[in-house]
Amino acid sequence: PNSLSGLYATIMSYVGGIIANLGYIFIIYTYSWKLSLYLTIGNIVTYLIGDWRLKIRQKYRKELHKLGDERSGISKEALNGIKDIKVLDMQKPIEKKFAKPLKEEVDLNVRMSYKLTALNVLSSAFTVVFYVGFALIAVKLMKIGELIPSTLIVLYSYSNTIRLFVNDIITLKDYAKEKDLVAGRVMEVFDETFYPQDKFGTKTLENAQGHLVVENLKFGYKQDEILFDDLSVTFDSNKLTAIVGKSGEGKSTIANLLFHLYDWEEGTI
């Protein structure tokens, strides 16, 4: 939602700039229709190159958003289940699962960077050729008396304004595409199209053999603060055992000790 509101404000500012620059376009056409035609063709080419660059960026940006969401989801999943990951020795599978979208994200960024750099070089080269052609046509028109130096200066200054006008249109289109992309991701969350709720298994362990036995256990998070001193308890198989106590009295600590997540001072499990 914050991204959408920010995009809307940016889009409106560019719309205002485009409307303001429309007047310059009409002024240019009143001076020399030949140079104006050349400027029009040149700016159409500039727009096509910019639009091509925009489509490439939007294509990769959409894929990068999905990979970023996947990586973020794995990170949150790992943080929320860090104890389970340690208990089940799942560090390496989680690392591989996290590394896959990260590697794809890096590769996509590299490919996008190469393509956008190539288009930037093409755009810069065309700009140089465009202004060389503009100068040659202007010199030709001055030789035949259809253009005077003062008019040329005006047309040259306004030509930059038109190029800014074209760039504003491309930028506006870019923000509009970004708005659609962000809004689409919000709706995907609401519709659960790409973010389905977690489904947990229903398998149970039947007729488990053996017992969990804690004998004369001594444990404390700090040496001078003993939480359990000479704790003994047996958890029989195929029976439900409740550990009851006030908050902070060690219920979760007992479970973590059973999984050997902590080292104790004395006793056995």
Side-chain angles (χ1 to χ4, degrees):
N2 291 333
S3 297
L4 287 174
S5 60
L7 284 172
Y8 178 77
T10 305
I11 288 172
M12 293 308 297
S13 67
Y14 273 98
V15 169
I18 289 172
I19 294 174
N21 286 327
L22 283 174
Y24 294 113
I25 297 175
F26 291 111
I27 292 174
I28 290 176
Y29 278 90
T30 62
Y31 281 101
S32 172
W33 70 268
K34 292 180 181 178
L35 272 180
S36 298
L37 179 61
Y38 180 78
L39 288 173
T40 301
I41 294 172
N43 283 291
I44 288 174
V45 175
T46 300
Y47 172 80
L48 292 176
I49 294 175
D51 190 59
W52 187 8
R53 182 169 52 223
L54 174 61
K55 288 179 180 178
I56 291 175
R57 185 162 56 240
Q58 287 294 333
K59 174 188 173 183
Y60 282 101
R61 190 180 293 172
K62 188 174 183 179
E63 295 180 27
L64 286 170
H65 276 313
K66 287 185 178 180
L67 288 172
D69 288 341
E70 181 180 351
R71 179 169 47 82
S72 177
I74 295 172
S75 300
K76 290 179 180 178
E77 179 183 339
L79 288 173
N80 292 334
I82 192 166
K83 183 176 74 173
D84 296 330
I85 292 172
K86 185 175 181 181
V87 170
L88 300 174
D89 194 22
M90 291 287 290
Q91 292 95 326
K92 290 184 178 180
I94 289 293
E95 288 173 1
K96 290 181 179 179
K97 190 177 180 181
F98 183 83
K100 183 176 180 292
L102 183 61
K103 183 178 182 301
E104 291 179 4
E105 195 173 344
V106 172
D107 291 342
L108 276 176
N109 272 309
V110 171
R111 292 203 299 270
M112 181 177 68
S113 178
Y114 282 148
K115 290 186 177 181
L116 291 180
T117 300
L119 284 175
N120 288 334
V121 172
L122 176 63
S123 179
S124 299
F126 174 76
T127 300
V128 173
V129 173
F130 171 80
Y131 278 110
V132 170
F134 181 87
L136 293 175
I137 294 174
V139 171
K140 180 68 175 179
L141 291 176
M142 284 192 292
K143 283 184 177 181
I144 62 177
E146 292 187 12
L147 192 66
I148 59 176
S150 59
T151 303
L152 173 61
I153 294 173
V154 172
L155 288 174
Y156 177 76
S157 63
Y158 283 158
S159 68
N160 291 326
T161 302
I162 291 183
R163 291 184 68 82
L164 291 175
F165 172 79
V166 172
N167 289 333
D168 283 349
I169 292 177
I170 295 172
T171 304
L172 179 62
K173 189 175 181 180
D174 186 18
Y175 278 117
K177 292 284 187 180
E178 180 69 13
K179 176 187 70 65
D180 291 339
L181 179 61
V182 173
R185 292 173 66 211
V186 172
M187 296 311 298
E188 286 171 4
V189 174
F190 288 150
D191 296 338
E192 294 184 356
T193 305
F194 294 99
Y195 306 94
Q197 291 184 350
D198 292 333
K199 296 180 180 179
F200 300 95
T202 58
K203 294 182 179 180
T204 57
L205 183 63
E206 302 291 345
N207 297 320
Q209 302 297 317
H211 309 279
L212 280 174
V213 180
V214 180
E215 290 184 339
N216 309 117
L217 192 72
K218 182 179 181 180
F219 172 80
Y221 290 104
K222 298 180 181 180
Q223 291 185 349
D224 57 344
E225 295 180 9
I226 301 301
L227 182 61
F228 301 127
D229 190 7
D230 197 27
L231 173 67
S232 296
V233 61
T234 299
F235 300 94
D236 295 323
S237 59
N238 301 304
K239 289 184 180 181
L240 184 63
T241 303
I243 303 176
V244 183
K246 295 180 181 180
S247 178
E249 289 193 342
K251 300 185 297 300
S252 298
T253 302
I254 290 177
N256 292 332
L257 286 167
L258 293 177
F259 285 115
H260 288 224
L261 296 181
Y262 302 130
D263 294 325
W264 52 88
E265 294 183 31
E266 299 177 6
T268 58
I269 299 180

